[in-house]
């Protein structure tokens, strides 16, 4: 097994512990056990609990940036990608949701690095939406609808019929002016 694969497996284990048990359950021992590695193996990749959480935040940032890059290539850019990513259908979108949920659990309402990193991810999307959508009210509507769909998914609230979700997105997209996304 390569170092990158082991590192990724450890980060996936961290997410599992955070989502299942909350931030107070995160110990190096718990994450190592979840990942199926020794504590020494975990320490090889992450020297401390803080380094482990930093690794999660870096992964979240990378996943978010990958979606932002995809937004530049999509028709109707950031708005469509943001709304569609709110309903995770691809592995990339599911990974982002899982990372955000884990980071939310790591933050536990504090004003630490996890909270700041999450704010940056959402602020970056807000800036991209405002740059891509000329009308600031419409940009905010897209953001709020995407956030609401995302929150429902995160809380496990039964989603609306998929056809209704799709219709919500398409109606909102139809209301946007045809304008290429800004970089």
């Amino acid at each position: 097994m390569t170092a990158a694969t082991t590192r990724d497996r450890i980060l996936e284990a961290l997410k599992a512990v955070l989502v299942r048990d909350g931030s107070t359950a995160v110990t190096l021992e718990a994450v190592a056990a979840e990942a199926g590695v020794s504590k020494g193996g975990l320490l090889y990749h992450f020297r401390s609990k803080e380094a482990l959480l930093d690794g999660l935040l870096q992964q979240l940032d990378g996943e978010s940036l990958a979606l932002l890059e995809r937004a530049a290539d999509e028709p109707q850019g950031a708005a469509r990608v943001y709304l569609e990513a709110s309903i995770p259908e691809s592995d990339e979108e599911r990974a982002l949701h899982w990372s955000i949920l884990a980071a939310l659990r790591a933050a536990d309402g504090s004003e630490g690095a996890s909270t700041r990193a999450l704010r940056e991810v959402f602020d970056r999307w807000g800036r991209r939406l405002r740059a891509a959508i000329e009308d600031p009210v419409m940009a905010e509507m897209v953001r709020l609808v995407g956030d609401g769909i995302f929150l429902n998914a995160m809380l496990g609230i039964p989603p609306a019929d998929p056809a209704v979700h799709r219709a919500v997105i398409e109606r909102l997209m139809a209301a946007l002016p045809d304008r290429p996304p800004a970089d």
Side-chain angles (χ1 to χ4, degrees):
M1 183 152 287
T2 66
T5 302
T6 301
R7 185 180 195 283
D8 290 342
R9 197 168 79 218
I10 292 168
L11 289 174
E12 290 305 310
L14 170 61
K15 291 178 202 177
V17 171
L18 279 166
V19 170
R20 183 184 62 235
D21 304 322
S23 63
T24 58
V26 174
T27 64
L28 296 177
E29 293 81 5
V31 174
E34 183 79 24
V37 300
S38 67
K39 185 176 176 185
L42 183 144
L43 288 169
Y44 175 80
H45 296 282
F46 301 98
R47 303 297 293 162
S48 66
K49 181 178 170 180
E50 291 74 26
L52 189 58
L53 291 170
D54 286 346
L56 170 66
L57 297 174
Q58 289 169 2
Q59 187 182 63
L60 169 61
D61 194 49
E63 290 164 352
S64 176
L65 287 171
L67 273 180
L68 276 167
E69 286 176 21
R70 193 177 96 200
D73 299 329
E74 291 286 324
Q76 292 181 301
R80 180 165 297 283
V81 170
Y82 192 73
L83 291 168
E84 290 181 353
S86 297
I87 306 169
E89 294 174 346
S90 71
D91 288 342
E92 181 183 34
E93 291 162 355
R94 277 188 281 284
L96 181 62
H97 276 232
W98 187 244
S99 293
I100 290 172
L101 182 57
L104 284 167
R105 292 300 304 254
D108 270 352
S110 70
E111 285 297 318
S114 295
T115 301
R116 287 190 300 276
L118 283 169
R119 276 194 191 121
E120 177 54 31
V121 166
F122 283 97
D123 285 348
R124 189 182 300 137
W125 273 102
R127 288 190 304 271
R128 177 62 68 92
L129 289 169
R130 287 187 298 277
I133 302 169
E134 196 168 276
D135 178 355
V137 172
M138 186 59 80
E140 189 66 4
M141 286 172 56
V142 168
R143 188 187 69 78
L144 291 172
V145 168
D147 289 353
I149 294 169
F150 174 80
L151 183 61
N152 279 346
M154 290 293 93
L155 294 175
I157 295 171
D161 178 299
V164 172
H165 262 163
R166 178 63 44 208
V168 167
I169 291 171
E170 292 310 318
R171 186 169 299 175
L172 196 49
M173 295 306 300
L176 295 175
D178 289 332
R179 173 166 136 33
D183 286 290

